[in-house]
Amino acid sequence: MTELAPGATDSAADLAEDATESADDVRVDVAALGDQLLGTWAETRRVARALAGNAELHKLEGLTHHEHRERVFGQLKYLVDHKAVHRAFPKELGGDEDHGGNIAGFEELVTADPSLQIKAGVQWGLFGAAVLHLGTEEHHAKWLPGIMSLEVPGCFAMTEIGHGSDVASIATTATYDPETEEFVIHTPFKAAWKEFIGNAAKDGLAAVVFAQLITKGVNHGVHALYVPLRDPDTKDFLPGVGGQDDGVKGGLNGIDNGRLHFDHVRVPRTNLLNRYGSVAADGTYSSPIASPGRRFFTMLGTLVQGRVSLDGAATAASKLALSAAIHYASERRQFNASSETAEEVLLDYQRHQRRLLPRLATVYAMNFAHEQLLEKFDGVFSGRADTDKDRQDLETLAAALKPLATWNALDILQECREACGGAGFIMENRFASLRADLDIYVTFEGDNNVLLQLVAKRLLNDYAKEFRGMGVGALAKFALGQAAGVAYKTGLGAVAQFVRDSGRAQRAALALRDEDTQRLLLADRVQTMVAQTAQALHGANSLPQAEAAARFNAHQNELIEAAYAHAELLQWEAFTEALAGVEDPGTKKVLTWLRDLFGLTLIEKHLSWYLMNGRLSMQRGRTVGEYINRLLARLRPHALDLVDAFGYGPEHVRAPIATGGEAERQDEAAEYYAALRAAGAEPRREKQARTAKAKG
């Protein structure tokens, strides 16, 4: 690390450093960066984006919810006709068995209309996927052709009014009757009604219904059954099936969400999707998985693609918002602070950079983390990497990234809307519409807080395995970051000491921009939070059930915060690993600045934790914000290149303020005033006139 020259000041060193880092020859290779962002399934994404750019698939604002539903259902047929729904299905049925490519293509539909993306997800990603992954080849041959062709629109009937994210406790029952060899589907009370079910209000002809499977007086837990809902000709509910329309919602009104209930509805024994659990004609239950708990999580794990796709769709929507907001901020002018004749471009204001550029860094981190998640997903579902550990890792990764991506998307859409002022509130510029549609993403396919709790439990289990046998005293030392070689397993204790103790701001800045330092600070926070919570919960398993639950509940928030920190670290690591794949020097330098901005923004966000836990001194804490501001200045000239690399054209962004309209207005205004000045016809301001009069 470079020492300061004798007599040099920190500010002089900072300026020298900035001059070196901000060299004029730094350029971004937009095309190459765009290819990298497209990832493994680049060609599939290009095809999907071309399709999503067609006006036939675009959301039309101002439609009634009935009109929007009709339009979206017609768009599903458009997708079928253009072979956009077949990628994940078996080759013998006309599919590609390309699971990663299927998700990559599907999530791009959010650029056309989020209602279309979710409606397609209900039909082929939930209803069809449940038959594919929970059923047998016999079920595939019988039902998948109609599902793939849209001849049989369907529902995924899992969620109940009384048990949203607690699927294991749903109350709908499927009781086997050996005399008729049928299952009797029944919702015993209103809290057991299936709620917020896509396609339930109008279009669904059948459903995969999740219910407690009961045979010979034994409840074998949640299983899935194929249940017809409506007469294909009249579209009326079949006997025993009922429901209600959820009506107008806060967003996604192109989807006919509704409630379903069943009054002793009978289906054949063979309608049980029995890949993981079968019932013989005499009612005998059997399963290849002996443990009921493991069987339940294995069945639900096959449906993880919903969370994977929402992570990607939220990332895509965030890219659209930032593309529009940054283009607008590069053209819109306001206030003439530095010139008598020219107003300032919004993006030249530091505050505007603070609002948008850290969020741009976040979206890059989301992009690279999602690509890793998608590769993990494809590895499991293709069978290349399909061990129990692989599946657990996939479920944990999806449960970690989906919450951050969907929460970040709402934050980004809101900030971009505000950054565009009143223009951002006009519906044609899409911020308000996209935010309304994505609002529900944070609570479906798993409520975000519940998902993070699942991640936290996995972290605690891993911690317990790693440190099993350690005494309470040793655990306490770990929690305080004192156990040498344990808390700082990366061997970066010296770097941490440097950050805490070095006396000059410039040296602290050099340390903070160091990749290993950022990793240390982010990882140490996760490790310490997990260790502290583990220590607090130590021995809870041996307590009576009520006391154990109370102990866990007292530390639930800490658990979820630890899981959130873990997910942030995953995103930072994904961004850092992606840097290794950048060949162009200029692009690599700019992306490194962007990664540093992401990492230091996280550290600044949690600065109180680092200060209270002695990881940073007060002086070092002040340096974080100062260095972020320097990074913003370096990144400002590259902001347009960084959003253009997303690869979305005007047909995807569809925000008039970001597609040249604002630039035309600004140019027209500038030409008008320039002509007045050239002709000597520009009126003098009152203050100028008074000054001239006084001098005269």
Side-chain angles (χ1 to χ4, degrees):
M1 188 167 294
T2 304
E3 294 288 339
L4 289 174
T9 65
D10 289 339
S11 58
D14 288 347
L15 291 172
E17 182 70 20
D18 283 345
T20 302
E21 290 290 302
S22 303
D24 292 337
D25 60 349
V26 176
R27 296 287 185 273
V28 173
D29 186 335
V30 176
L33 178 56
D35 288 341
Q36 183 179 11
L37 291 172
L38 287 171
T40 303
W41 290 272
E43 187 54 35
T44 299
R45 289 191 185 278
R46 291 190 184 97
V47 171
R49 288 184 183 184
L51 187 69
N54 291 330
E56 292 92 333
L57 297 182
H58 293 172
K59 180 179 182 180
L60 298 181
E61 302 295 347
L63 298 179
T64 68
H65 73 288
H66 293 298
E67 293 168 337
H68 195 185
R69 289 174 176 181
E70 289 296 328
R71 178 173 173 82
V72 171
F73 187 76
Q75 290 169 337
L76 292 188
K77 297 176 182 177
Y78 187 94
L79 295 180
V80 173
D81 293 342
H82 288 78
K83 301 185 184 303
V85 304
H86 60 281
R87 296 184 182 98
F89 292 108
K91 290 182 179 179
E92 60 266 24
L93 297 177
D96 295 335
E97 298 181 12
D98 181 2
H99 300 282
N102 177 59
I103 299 296
F106 163 72
E107 61 201 24
E108 294 293 339
L109 291 175
V110 75
T111 66
D113 183 352
S115 285
L116 173 60
Q117 184 225 350
I118 299 303
K119 180 93 167 176
V122 169
Q123 176 66 19
W124 295 293
L126 292 177
F127 177 53
V131 173
L132 174 63
H133 296 301
L134 299 179
T136 63
E137 291 184 1
E138 180 181 349
H139 296 131
H140 298 171
K142 184 176 182 180
W143 291 316
L144 285 183
I147 293 172
M148 293 169 66
S149 68
L150 200 61
E151 179 184 349
V152 182
C155 306
F156 184 79
M158 176 185 284
T159 302
E160 294 183 356
I161 298 172
H163 289 96
S165 296
D166 185 6
V167 178
S169 299
I170 61 174
T172 300
T173 56
T175 306
Y176 184 65
D177 181 354
E179 292 187 6
T180 61
E181 296 190 23
E182 294 174 316
F183 284 99
V184 182
I185 315 298
H186 186 58
T187 46
F189 41 77
K190 195 165 185 178
W193 285 19
K194 301 298 183 179
E195 168 65 305
F196 213 76
I197 308 301
N199 286 343
K202 183 177 78 71
D203 295 327
L205 298 181
V208 170
V209 177
F210 288 79
Q212 304 286 350
L213 190 153
I214 301 170
T215 180
K216 292 188 174 184
V218 178
N219 184 348
H220 293 279
V222 176
H223 288 64
L225 301 94
Y226 185 94
V227 181
L229 298 178
R230 289 183 170 90
D231 182 293
D233 298 320
T234 66
K235 302 300 190 296
D236 293 331
F237 279 126
L238 296 172
V241 181
Q244 293 179 353
D245 192 330
D246 281 332
V248 179
K249 308 181 293 292
L252 295 181
N253 281 301
I255 306 171
D256 55 321
N257 293 100
R259 297 176 176 179
L260 294 172
H261 55 88
F262 305 92
D263 185 5
H264 298 92
V265 174
R266 290 178 172 266
V267 297
R269 177 177 65 90
T270 53
N271 279 31
L272 174 66
L273 300 177
N274 62 334
R275 180 177 177 184
Y276 297 107
S278 299
V279 175
D282 67 354
T284 301
Y285 179 84
S286 62
S287 172
I289 303 175
S291 166
R294 183 164 168 263
R295 184 190 314 135
F296 171 73
F297 284 109
T298 299
M299 284 193 287
L300 292 192
T302 62
L303 306 172
V304 71
Q305 64 187 40
R307 294 168 187 172
V308 176
S309 62
L310 290 183
D311 178 59
T315 301
S318 300
K319 291 176 181 177
L320 293 180
L322 282 163
S323 294
I326 287 177
H327 271 276
Y328 180 71
S330 299
E331 298 172 357
R332 178 76 158 89
R333 293 179 178 273
Q334 191 78 54
F335 305 114
N336 54 347
S338 62
S339 169
E340 289 294 325
T341 59
E343 293 178 296
E344 308 296 324
V345 173
L346 290 184
L347 200 55
D348 286 341
Y349 288 108
Q350 185 190 70
R351 179 60 181 169
H352 217 76
Q353 295 168 11
R354 268 273 185 171
R355 299 173 74 180
L356 297 180
L357 297 188
R359 289 173 171 85
L360 177 60
T362 297
V363 169
Y364 266 77
M366 288 161 58
N367 184 103
F368 294 129
H370 176 67
E371 185 66 18
Q372 291 187 350
L373 174 60
L374 198 54
E375 290 175 355
K376 186 70 175 176
F377 170 82
D378 188 69
V380 168
F381 281 81
S382 68
R384 293 193 311 275
D386 190 17
T387 65
D388 283 344
K389 184 180 184 303
D390 288 318
R391 285 186 172 267
Q392 290 175 19
D393 289 347
L394 170 62
E395 291 162 20
T396 304
L397 189 57
L401 295 181
K402 181 261 184 184
L404 263 64
T406 52
W407 274 327
N408 284 338
L410 295 186
D411 169 71
I412 289 165
L413 284 161
Q414 181 65 23
E415 194 63 39
C416 287
R417 200 292 294 163
E418 293 182 27
C420 295
F425 200 57
I426 298 174
M427 194 63 74
E428 70 173 3
N429 288 315
R430 299 190 71 197
F431 298 111
S433 178
L434 279 170
R435 196 192 185 286
D437 284 336
L438 264 71
D439 199 340
I440 192 62
Y441 283 35
V442 304
T443 51
F444 75 177
E445 292 299 319
D447 177 277
N448 283 357
N449 285 285
V450 174
L451 292 180
L452 288 177
Q453 185 166 294
L454 294 176
V455 175
K457 289 181 177 179
R458 173 69 185 276
L459 292 174
L460 284 177
N461 288 337
D462 288 350
Y463 173 88
K465 291 176 184 177
E466 186 169 355
F467 300 106
R468 184 170 287 129
M470 290 180 70
V472 175
L475 294 178
K477 287 183 179 180
F478 175 87
L480 295 171
Q482 301 300 318
V486 177
Y488 301 142
K489 290 182 289 183
T490 52
L492 297 175
V495 179
Q497 189 70 28
F498 177 86
V499 174
R500 287 197 299 269
D501 298 336
S502 61
R504 295 176 183 251
Q506 205 277 354
R507 290 179 177 178
L510 289 174
L512 287 169
R513 75 178 189 180
D514 180 76
E515 179 180 302
D516 287 340
T517 303
Q518 292 176 38
R519 179 181 287 109
L520 165 73
L521 290 171
L522 296 173
D524 176 50
R525 182 166 180 265
V526 177
Q527 292 170 352
T528 303
M529 294 172 77
V530 172
Q532 289 174 334
T533 308
Q535 181 188 0
L537 295 175
H538 183 73
N541 290 340
S542 61
L543 295 174
Q545 182 177 355
E547 292 182 33
R551 169 103 51 105
F552 184 88
N553 189 54
H555 298 280
Q556 184 185 41
N557 188 65
E558 298 161 36
L559 277 171
I560 290 174
E561 288 296 321
Y564 199 111
H566 172 70
E568 290 175 331
L569 174 62
L570 291 175
Q571 290 182 333
W572 183 91
E573 289 283 10
F575 200 153
T576 301
E577 290 172 21
L579 289 175
V582 181
E583 296 181 358
D584 177 68
T587 304
K588 189 162 191 171
K589 183 177 286 291
V590 172
L591 281 189
T592 301
W593 293 338
L594 197 65
R595 190 279 314 275
D596 291 346
L597 178 60
F598 177 63
L600 294 181
T601 299
L602 292 179
I603 293 167
E604 184 181 53
K605 175 183 174 183
H606 305 299
L607 193 55
S608 61
W609 186 93
Y610 290 106
L611 294 173
M612 288 189 298
N613 287 273
R615 300 313 196 260
L616 290 173
S617 68
M618 290 295 293
Q619 181 176 339
R620 298 297 78 74
R622 286 191 292 270
T623 305
V624 175
E626 294 169 2
Y627 193 65
I628 285 175
N629 290 338
R630 295 212 295 275
L631 285 171
L632 295 174
R634 293 172 190 165
L635 288 165
R636 163 62 183 97
H638 309 287
L640 285 176
D641 284 343
L642 289 169
V643 294
D644 288 346
F646 291 153
Y648 290 118
E651 71 276 19
H652 301 111
V653 179
R654 302 200 305 283
I657 59 170
T659 53
E662 181 61 31
E664 291 179 7
R665 285 191 292 271
Q666 294 293 333
D667 290 345
E668 181 186 20
E671 290 172 5
Y672 172 79
Y673 287 115
L676 284 181
R677 288 193 296 273
E682 183 180 30
R684 288 183 295 171
R685 293 186 177 89
E686 180 180 342
K687 186 176 180 180
Q688 293 173 327
R690 286 178 179 177
T691 301
K693 184 176 181 181
K695 289 181 178 179

